[in-house]
Amino acid sequence: MTTLQHIQPLSFPGVEKDAPVIVAGPCSAETEQQTLDAARALSAMGVHVFRAGIWKPRTMPGGFEGVGDRGLAWLQRVKRETGMAVATEVATARHVQAALDAGIDILWMGARTSANPFAMQDIADALSGHDEVTVLVKNPVNPDLDLWLGALQRIMGAGITRLGAVHRGFSSAGAHLYRNDPQWHIPFELRRHAPMMTILCDPSHIGGKRKYVERLSQIALDTGFDGLMIESHCHPDEALSDSAQQVTPADLAAILGRLVVRSGLPVDDELALLRQQIDDCDHELLAVLARRMSVSREIGRFKKAHNLRVVQPARYQDMISARLEEGASLGLDTAFTQHVMQAIHEESVSQQLNLVNDSTENNTSDEQQE
Ligand code: PEP
Ligand code: MN
Protein backbone atom coordinates (compact mmCIF):
# COMPACT_ATOMS: atom_id res chain seq x y z
CA MET A 1 0.00 0.00 0.00
CA THR A 2 1.26 3.45 -0.83
CA THR A 3 1.69 5.61 2.21
CA LEU A 4 2.79 9.19 2.59
CA GLN A 5 6.26 7.76 3.22
CA HIS A 6 6.39 6.86 -0.47
CA ILE A 7 5.07 10.07 -2.01
CA GLN A 8 7.74 11.33 -4.41
CA PRO A 9 8.73 14.96 -4.86
CA LEU A 10 6.77 16.94 -7.43
CA SER A 11 8.63 18.13 -10.47
CA PHE A 12 7.90 21.48 -12.05
CA PRO A 13 9.21 22.53 -15.46
CA GLY A 14 11.91 25.16 -15.25
CA VAL A 15 12.93 24.49 -11.65
CA GLU A 16 16.60 23.67 -11.32
CA LYS A 17 17.74 20.83 -9.11
CA ASP A 18 17.57 21.78 -5.40
CA ALA A 19 16.13 25.21 -6.23
CA PRO A 20 12.80 26.17 -4.64
CA VAL A 21 9.70 26.14 -6.80
CA ILE A 22 8.02 29.54 -6.85
CA VAL A 23 4.24 29.64 -7.05
CA ALA A 24 2.90 33.18 -7.23
CA GLY A 25 -0.16 35.12 -8.26
CA PRO A 26 -3.00 37.10 -6.81
CA CYS A 27 -5.09 35.91 -3.91
CA SER A 28 -8.07 36.17 -6.26
CA ALA A 29 -8.58 36.46 -9.98
CA GLU A 30 -10.73 39.60 -10.09
CA THR A 31 -10.88 40.53 -13.77
CA GLU A 32 -9.35 39.01 -16.86
CA GLN A 33 -7.06 42.04 -17.24
CA GLN A 34 -5.83 41.98 -13.62
CA THR A 35 -5.17 38.25 -13.91
CA LEU A 36 -3.23 38.59 -17.16
CA ASP A 37 -1.25 41.62 -15.97
CA ALA A 38 -0.04 39.74 -12.92
CA ALA A 39 0.65 36.58 -14.89
CA ARG A 40 2.69 38.34 -17.58
CA ALA A 41 4.82 40.17 -15.02
CA LEU A 42 5.37 37.03 -12.93
CA SER A 43 6.17 34.87 -15.93
CA ALA A 44 8.72 37.42 -17.16
CA MET A 45 10.57 37.16 -13.86
CA GLY A 46 10.71 33.38 -13.94
CA VAL A 47 7.89 32.37 -11.58
CA HIS A 48 7.17 28.70 -12.25
CA VAL A 49 3.51 28.34 -11.37
CA PHE A 50 0.71 30.90 -11.46
CA ARG A 51 -1.85 30.82 -8.65
CA ALA A 52 -5.18 32.61 -8.45
CA GLY A 53 -8.30 31.83 -6.42
CA ILE A 54 -11.61 31.89 -8.29
CA TRP A 55 -13.73 30.25 -5.57
CA LYS A 56 -12.86 31.97 -2.32
CA PRO A 57 -14.17 30.61 0.96
CA ARG A 58 -14.15 33.74 3.11
CA THR A 59 -14.55 33.72 6.85
CA MET A 60 -17.25 36.42 6.87
CA PRO A 61 -20.26 36.64 4.55
CA GLY A 62 -20.19 39.70 2.36
CA GLY A 63 -16.48 39.32 1.54
CA PHE A 64 -15.42 38.83 -2.06
CA GLU A 65 -16.14 35.17 -2.78
CA GLY A 66 -14.44 34.94 -6.12
CA VAL A 67 -15.51 35.29 -9.73
CA GLY A 68 -16.42 31.60 -9.98
CA ASP A 69 -16.32 29.46 -13.11
CA ARG A 70 -15.72 32.28 -15.55
CA GLY A 71 -12.25 32.72 -14.06
CA LEU A 72 -11.30 29.29 -15.45
CA ALA A 73 -11.07 30.75 -18.96
CA TRP A 74 -8.72 33.44 -17.65
CA LEU A 75 -6.45 30.80 -16.17
CA GLN A 76 -6.54 28.87 -19.45
CA ARG A 77 -5.45 32.05 -21.19
CA VAL A 78 -2.60 32.54 -18.71
CA LYS A 79 -1.44 29.01 -19.40
CA ARG A 80 -1.68 29.45 -23.18
CA GLU A 81 0.03 32.82 -23.29
CA THR A 82 2.77 32.43 -20.67
CA GLY A 83 3.37 28.68 -20.57
CA MET A 84 3.21 28.73 -16.76
CA ALA A 85 1.37 25.90 -15.03
CA VAL A 86 -1.79 27.25 -13.38
CA ALA A 87 -3.18 26.52 -9.93
CA THR A 88 -6.44 27.30 -8.20
CA GLU A 89 -8.27 26.41 -5.01
CA VAL A 90 -11.12 23.91 -5.05
CA ALA A 91 -13.50 23.45 -2.15
CA THR A 92 -16.23 21.18 -3.53
CA ALA A 93 -16.57 18.21 -5.88
CA ARG A 94 -18.17 20.54 -8.41
CA HIS A 95 -15.15 22.85 -8.34
CA VAL A 96 -12.94 19.83 -8.94
CA GLN A 97 -14.95 18.77 -11.95
CA ALA A 98 -14.99 22.26 -13.46
CA ALA A 99 -11.25 22.74 -12.87
CA LEU A 100 -10.40 19.33 -14.36
CA ASP A 101 -12.60 20.04 -17.38
CA ALA A 102 -10.73 23.31 -17.87
CA GLY A 103 -7.32 21.58 -17.75
CA ILE A 104 -6.11 23.38 -14.63
CA ASP A 105 -2.74 21.82 -13.75
CA ILE A 106 -2.71 22.14 -9.97
CA LEU A 107 -5.63 22.11 -7.56
CA TRP A 108 -5.19 23.08 -3.96
CA MET A 109 -7.44 22.66 -0.95
CA GLY A 110 -7.52 25.64 1.38
CA ALA A 111 -7.21 25.64 5.14
CA ARG A 112 -10.95 25.83 5.76
CA THR A 113 -11.52 22.81 3.54
CA SER A 114 -8.70 20.60 4.76
CA ALA A 115 -10.13 20.97 8.29
CA ASN A 116 -13.30 19.22 7.12
CA PRO A 117 -13.01 15.46 6.54
CA PHE A 118 -16.37 15.17 4.74
CA ALA A 119 -15.41 17.93 2.31
CA MET A 120 -11.99 16.33 1.77
CA GLN A 121 -13.59 12.95 1.07
CA ASP A 122 -16.01 14.47 -1.48
CA ILE A 123 -13.09 16.15 -3.18
CA ALA A 124 -11.04 12.96 -3.12
CA ASP A 125 -13.93 11.04 -4.69
CA ALA A 126 -14.23 13.65 -7.44
CA LEU A 127 -10.48 13.40 -8.11
CA SER A 128 -10.51 9.63 -8.30
CA GLY A 129 -8.84 8.39 -11.46
CA HIS A 130 -7.40 11.81 -12.39
CA ASP A 131 -3.78 11.06 -11.69
CA GLU A 132 -2.75 13.62 -14.30
CA VAL A 133 -3.52 16.47 -11.92
CA THR A 134 -1.28 17.79 -9.15
CA VAL A 135 -2.91 18.35 -5.77
CA LEU A 136 -1.65 20.51 -2.93
CA VAL A 137 -3.25 20.30 0.50
CA LYS A 138 -2.89 23.33 2.74
CA ASN A 139 -2.76 22.73 6.46
CA PRO A 140 -6.11 22.92 8.26
CA VAL A 141 -6.89 26.18 10.07
CA ASN A 142 -6.39 24.52 13.43
CA PRO A 143 -3.00 23.20 14.51
CA ASP A 144 -3.77 19.52 14.18
CA LEU A 145 -1.21 17.42 12.33
CA ASP A 146 -3.52 14.40 12.15
CA LEU A 147 -6.19 16.40 10.38
CA TRP A 148 -3.60 17.47 7.81
CA LEU A 149 -2.29 13.91 7.43
CA GLY A 150 -5.85 12.62 7.12
CA ALA A 151 -6.63 15.13 4.38
CA LEU A 152 -3.50 14.10 2.47
CA GLN A 153 -4.31 10.43 2.92
CA ARG A 154 -7.80 10.88 1.53
CA ILE A 155 -6.36 12.44 -1.63
CA MET A 156 -3.74 9.72 -1.86
CA GLY A 157 -6.51 7.15 -1.44
CA ALA A 158 -8.09 8.51 -4.63
CA GLY A 159 -5.00 7.41 -6.54
CA ILE A 160 -3.42 10.87 -6.75
CA THR A 161 0.35 10.49 -6.69
CA ARG A 162 1.31 14.04 -7.61
CA LEU A 163 0.66 15.25 -4.14
CA GLY A 164 2.17 17.99 -2.00
CA ALA A 165 1.40 20.12 1.03
CA VAL A 166 1.38 23.84 1.76
CA HIS A 167 2.10 25.29 5.18
CA ARG A 168 0.09 28.50 5.70
CA GLY A 169 0.07 28.77 9.49
CA PHE A 170 -2.70 28.19 12.03
CA SER A 171 -5.49 30.28 13.50
CA SER A 172 -4.99 31.00 17.16
CA ALA A 173 -6.71 33.03 19.83
CA GLY A 174 -5.15 36.22 21.10
CA ALA A 175 -2.88 38.78 19.50
CA HIS A 176 0.07 37.49 17.53
CA LEU A 177 2.70 39.03 15.37
CA TYR A 178 1.55 37.04 12.38
CA ARG A 179 -1.92 36.52 10.98
CA ASN A 180 -1.56 32.76 11.27
CA ASP A 181 0.78 31.30 13.82
CA PRO A 182 3.47 29.31 11.97
CA GLN A 183 3.95 26.58 14.62
CA TRP A 184 6.87 25.36 12.53
CA HIS A 185 7.10 22.10 14.47
CA ILE A 186 3.89 20.90 12.76
CA PRO A 187 5.19 21.00 9.16
CA PHE A 188 8.50 19.61 10.44
CA GLU A 189 6.57 16.71 11.91
CA LEU A 190 4.70 16.32 8.61
CA ARG A 191 8.10 15.97 6.95
CA ARG A 192 8.80 12.96 9.18
CA HIS A 193 5.65 11.28 7.88
CA ALA A 194 6.36 12.20 4.26
CA PRO A 195 10.12 12.54 3.89
CA MET A 196 10.18 13.06 0.13
CA MET A 197 6.88 14.82 -0.46
CA THR A 198 7.01 18.40 -1.72
CA ILE A 199 6.09 20.79 1.09
CA LEU A 200 5.71 24.45 0.20
CA CYS A 201 5.45 27.41 2.54
CA ASP A 202 2.91 30.19 2.06
CA PRO A 203 4.48 33.18 3.85
CA SER A 204 1.67 35.47 2.64
CA HIS A 205 -1.06 33.79 4.67
CA ILE A 206 1.23 33.17 7.64
CA GLY A 207 2.39 36.78 7.83
CA GLY A 208 -0.79 38.57 6.80
CA LYS A 209 1.27 41.66 5.99
CA ARG A 210 3.56 42.14 3.04
CA LYS A 211 6.45 43.26 5.22
CA TYR A 212 6.73 39.74 6.67
CA VAL A 213 6.90 37.88 3.37
CA GLU A 214 10.66 38.04 2.99
CA ARG A 215 11.68 36.94 6.46
CA LEU A 216 9.17 34.10 6.51
CA SER A 217 10.33 32.98 3.07
CA GLN A 218 13.93 32.90 4.27
CA ILE A 219 12.95 30.85 7.32
CA ALA A 220 11.11 28.45 5.02
CA LEU A 221 14.13 28.02 2.76
CA ASP A 222 16.44 27.57 5.74
CA THR A 223 14.24 24.88 7.22
CA GLY A 224 13.89 22.65 4.20
CA PHE A 225 10.67 23.69 2.49
CA ASP A 226 10.72 22.86 -1.19
CA GLY A 227 9.26 26.10 -2.43
CA LEU A 228 7.10 29.12 -1.76
CA MET A 229 3.56 30.11 -2.57
CA ILE A 230 3.38 33.91 -2.50
CA GLU A 231 0.48 36.21 -3.25
CA SER A 232 1.25 38.88 -5.81
CA HIS A 233 -1.02 41.53 -7.31
CA CYS A 234 -0.09 44.46 -9.56
CA HIS A 235 -2.06 46.86 -7.31
CA PRO A 236 -2.14 45.17 -3.90
CA ASP A 237 -3.92 48.00 -2.12
CA GLU A 238 -6.85 47.67 -4.49
CA ALA A 239 -7.04 43.88 -4.23
CA LEU A 240 -10.50 42.52 -3.40
CA SER A 241 -9.09 39.98 -0.96
CA ASP A 242 -6.02 39.81 1.27
CA SER A 243 -4.78 43.20 0.14
CA ALA A 244 -2.42 43.80 3.10
CA GLN A 245 -0.32 40.74 2.38
CA GLN A 246 0.07 40.88 -1.40
CA VAL A 247 3.25 42.19 -2.99
CA THR A 248 3.71 43.64 -6.46
CA PRO A 249 5.55 41.48 -8.99
CA ALA A 250 8.44 43.98 -8.84
CA ASP A 251 8.64 43.68 -5.04
CA LEU A 252 8.44 39.92 -5.36
CA ALA A 253 11.34 39.92 -7.81
CA ALA A 254 13.39 41.97 -5.34
CA ILE A 255 12.50 39.65 -2.45
CA LEU A 256 13.35 36.53 -4.46
CA GLY A 257 16.62 38.15 -5.50
CA ARG A 258 17.60 38.65 -1.85
CA LEU A 259 16.62 35.20 -0.59
CA VAL A 260 19.54 32.93 0.08
CA VAL A 261 19.22 29.30 -0.94
CA ARG A 262 21.49 27.30 1.33
CA SER A 263 22.61 23.76 0.87
CA GLY A 264 20.62 21.04 2.53
CA LEU A 265 23.53 18.68 2.37
CA PRO A 266 25.50 17.51 5.35
CA VAL A 267 28.10 18.51 6.71
CA ASP A 268 31.57 19.60 7.30
CA ASP A 269 33.46 18.57 10.44
CA GLU A 270 32.75 21.72 12.35
CA LEU A 271 29.02 21.37 11.86
CA ALA A 272 29.23 17.70 12.81
CA LEU A 273 30.96 18.64 16.05
CA LEU A 274 28.38 21.26 16.89
CA ARG A 275 25.61 18.79 16.17
CA GLN A 276 27.27 16.31 18.49
CA GLN A 277 27.09 18.92 21.24
CA ILE A 278 23.40 19.44 20.55
CA ASP A 279 22.82 15.69 20.76
CA ASP A 280 24.68 15.60 24.08
CA CYS A 281 22.59 18.47 25.45
CA ASP A 282 19.40 16.71 24.40
CA HIS A 283 20.45 13.50 26.15
CA GLU A 284 21.10 15.48 29.32
CA LEU A 285 17.80 17.31 29.01
CA LEU A 286 15.85 14.08 28.63
CA ALA A 287 17.62 12.45 31.57
CA VAL A 288 16.89 15.49 33.75
CA LEU A 289 13.26 15.52 32.65
CA ALA A 290 12.89 11.85 33.49
CA ARG A 291 14.40 12.48 36.93
CA ARG A 292 12.12 15.45 37.51
CA MET A 293 9.03 13.39 36.64
CA SER A 294 10.10 10.67 39.00
CA VAL A 295 10.45 13.18 41.87
CA SER A 296 7.13 14.60 40.85
CA ARG A 297 5.44 11.20 41.15
CA GLU A 298 7.03 10.83 44.56
CA ILE A 299 5.42 14.12 45.57
CA GLY A 300 2.15 12.83 44.12
CA ARG A 301 2.30 9.85 46.47
CA PHE A 302 2.95 12.14 49.39
CA LYS A 303 0.00 14.35 48.47
CA LYS A 304 -2.22 11.31 48.15
CA ALA A 305 -1.16 9.97 51.53
CA HIS A 306 -1.81 13.33 53.19
CA ASN A 307 -4.93 14.13 51.24
CA LEU A 308 -3.44 17.26 49.69
CA ARG A 309 -4.56 18.87 46.46
CA VAL A 310 -2.36 18.15 43.47
CA VAL A 311 -2.10 21.78 42.38
CA GLN A 312 -1.11 24.34 44.97
CA PRO A 313 -1.42 27.67 43.12
CA ALA A 314 0.88 29.63 45.42
CA ARG A 315 3.68 27.10 44.97
CA TYR A 316 3.14 27.19 41.22
CA GLN A 317 3.38 31.00 41.09
CA ASP A 318 6.55 31.03 43.21
CA MET A 319 8.14 28.32 41.11
CA ILE A 320 7.34 30.01 37.78
CA SER A 321 8.59 33.45 38.88
CA ALA A 322 11.79 31.97 40.28
CA ARG A 323 12.41 30.05 37.05
CA LEU A 324 11.71 33.05 34.84
CA GLU A 325 14.19 35.09 36.81
CA GLU A 326 16.79 32.38 36.69
CA GLY A 327 16.21 31.81 32.98
CA ALA A 328 16.60 35.53 32.26
CA SER A 329 19.86 35.62 34.19
CA LEU A 330 21.08 32.78 31.96
CA GLY A 331 20.16 34.73 28.84
CA LEU A 332 17.05 32.70 28.01
CA ASP A 333 14.09 34.41 26.43
CA THR A 334 11.38 34.85 29.08
CA ALA A 335 8.51 33.72 26.86
CA PHE A 336 10.50 30.63 25.98
CA THR A 337 11.27 29.79 29.61
CA GLN A 338 7.64 30.26 30.49
CA HIS A 339 6.55 28.00 27.65
CA VAL A 340 8.94 25.23 28.65
CA MET A 341 8.21 25.47 32.39
CA GLN A 342 4.48 25.45 31.78
CA ALA A 343 4.76 22.34 29.62
CA ILE A 344 6.86 20.59 32.26
CA HIS A 345 4.50 21.61 35.03
CA GLU A 346 1.50 20.44 33.05
CA GLU A 347 3.08 17.02 32.61
CA SER A 348 3.93 16.85 36.33
CA VAL A 349 0.35 17.68 37.24
CA SER A 350 -0.99 15.08 34.88
CA GLN A 351 1.35 12.42 36.29
CA GLN A 352 0.30 13.31 39.83
CA LEU A 353 -3.39 13.29 38.93
CA ASN A 354 -3.05 9.83 37.43
CA LEU A 355 -1.38 8.67 40.56
CA VAL A 356 -3.80 10.25 42.98
CA ASN A 357 -6.75 8.78 41.11
CA ASP A 358 -5.22 5.37 40.59
CA SER A 359 -6.80 3.01 43.12
CA THR A 360 -4.07 0.40 42.60
CA GLU A 361 -1.49 2.84 44.04
CA ASN A 362 -1.28 2.09 47.70
CA ASN A 363 -1.48 5.14 49.87
CA THR A 364 -0.02 3.93 53.13
CA SER A 365 2.89 6.05 54.21
CA ASP A 366 5.24 3.06 54.38
CA GLU A 367 4.91 2.41 50.73
CA GLN A 368 5.48 6.00 49.71
CA GLN A 369 9.09 5.52 50.62
CA GLU A 370 10.40 3.87 47.51
C1 PEP B 1 -5.54 31.50 -0.52
O1 PEP B 1 -4.55 30.83 -0.84
O2 PEP B 1 -5.88 32.54 -1.09
C2 PEP B 1 -6.32 31.07 0.65
C3 PEP B 1 -7.58 31.43 0.85
O3 PEP B 1 -5.58 30.38 1.49
P1 PEP B 1 -5.88 29.69 2.92
O4 PEP B 1 -6.75 28.53 2.61
O5 PEP B 1 -4.50 29.31 3.28
O6 PEP B 1 -6.49 30.71 3.81
MN1 MN C 1 -5.39 34.86 0.04
Side-chain angles (χ1 to χ4, degrees):
M1 198 188 91
T2 310
T3 71
L4 290 174
Q5 290 281 339
H6 301 114
I7 294 291
Q8 296 297 308
L10 296 172
S11 65
F12 298 93
V15 182
E16 284 165 31
K17 193 171 157 11
D18 295 329
V21 59
I22 307 297
V23 180
C27 179
S28 302
E30 299 163 2
T31 66
E32 184 166 23
Q33 196 57 51
Q34 165 260 359
T35 306
L36 283 168
D37 287 348
R40 287 181 183 131
L42 294 167
S43 164
M45 53 186 263
V47 163
H48 309 108
V49 177
F50 182 74
R51 63 145 285 155
I54 57 178
W55 299 290
K56 305 293 302 176
R58 305 317 293 171
T59 302
M60 302 299 283
F64 174 65
E65 295 199 326
V67 295
D69 293 43
R70 71 199 164 101
L72 290 168
W74 309 344
L75 291 177
Q76 287 172 323
R77 191 164 164 202
V78 166
K79 184 171 163 172
R80 224 174 27 245
E81 288 189 15
T82 68
M84 282 189 289
V86 289
T88 200
E89 173 172 349
V90 290
T92 66
R94 198 194 69 72
H95 296 163
V96 171
Q97 202 49 59
L100 290 172
D101 290 346
I104 303 301
D105 306 284
I106 300 173
L107 311 185
W108 85 78
M109 279 101 244
R112 293 158 194 78
T113 307
S114 64
N116 179 342
F118 282 135
M120 285 307 300
Q121 193 56 52
D122 282 349
I123 289 171
D125 292 345
L127 282 165
S128 182
H130 287 278
D131 62 356
E132 75 281 7
V133 75
T134 296
V135 177
L136 299 173
V137 180
K138 288 192 162 198
N139 64 260
V141 275
N142 44 328
D144 181 339
L145 176 66
D146 282 344
L147 209 45
W148 199 0
L149 288 169
L152 285 158
Q153 279 164 4
R154 285 175 201 276
I155 301 297
M156 206 180 56
I160 302 295
T161 52
R162 295 170 207 239
L163 180 60
V166 183
H167 172 44
R168 50 75 80 197
F170 302 91
S171 293
S172 56
H176 288 274
L177 179 62
Y178 299 128
R179 175 180 179 192
N180 289 300
D181 192 6
Q183 304 223 18
W184 297 104
H185 61 98
I186 294 180
F188 297 165
E189 192 59 16
L190 173 65
R191 169 68 72 208
R192 239 173 28 83
H193 290 262
M196 294 171 288
M197 186 176 74
T198 297
I199 307 180
L200 308 181
C201 179
D202 171 347
S204 308
H205 287 90
I206 295 177
K209 294 207 169 73
R210 61 183 70 96
K211 68 177 174 189
Y212 296 136
V213 167
E214 182 166 347
R215 77 156 87 143
L216 289 165
S217 298
Q218 188 63 61
I219 293 173
L221 295 187
D222 287 341
T223 52
F225 285 84
D226 303 295
L228 302 167
M229 180 189 267
I230 299 182
E231 288 190 339
S232 177
H233 189 293
C234 292
H235 305 285
D237 290 333
E238 290 159 29
L240 299 181
S241 58
D242 287 350
S243 76
Q245 70 196 32
Q246 303 204 57
V247 295
T248 63
D251 285 345
L252 179 60
I255 291 170
L256 295 177
R258 287 190 295 267
L259 290 178
V260 184
V261 181
R262 300 186 168 93
S263 165
L265 291 174
V267 283
D268 60 25
D269 287 351
E270 196 179 333
L271 184 53
L273 279 174
L274 290 168
R275 284 189 171 153
Q276 184 58 54
Q277 289 183 44
I278 289 284
D279 291 348
D280 293 347
C281 289
D282 286 352
H283 291 316
E284 276 176 49
L285 271 172
L286 292 173
V288 170
L289 282 172
R291 210 167 72 234
R292 192 187 192 284
M293 289 309 153
S294 145
V295 175
S296 180
R297 284 190 295 273
E298 189 107 0
I299 294 179
R301 289 189 191 93
F302 184 91
K303 288 176 178 164
K304 183 175 183 173
H306 293 83
N307 226 7
L308 296 171
R309 282 188 194 156
V310 163
V311 176
Q312 311 274 341
R315 159 73 186 151
Y316 175 68
Q317 284 313 331
D318 291 349
M319 189 271 289
I320 282 283
S321 351
R323 300 298 182 274
L324 293 185
E325 205 171 306
E326 188 176 343
S329 75
L330 292 167
L332 290 172
D333 178 77
T334 304
F336 170 72
T337 310
Q338 184 155 17
H339 197 67
V340 171
M341 291 312 304
Q342 272 167 348
I344 292 174
H345 182 258
E346 218 168 280
E347 175 63 13
S348 282
V349 169
S350 118
Q351 299 245 350
Q352 292 188 6
L353 284 173
N354 286 341
L355 214 142
V356 166
N357 294 309
D358 180 355
S359 53
T360 62
E361 275 279 342
N362 200 319
N363 79 4
T364 68
S365 44
D366 277 356
E367 300 204 10
Q368 300 154 32
Q369 333 271 335
E370 289 188 330

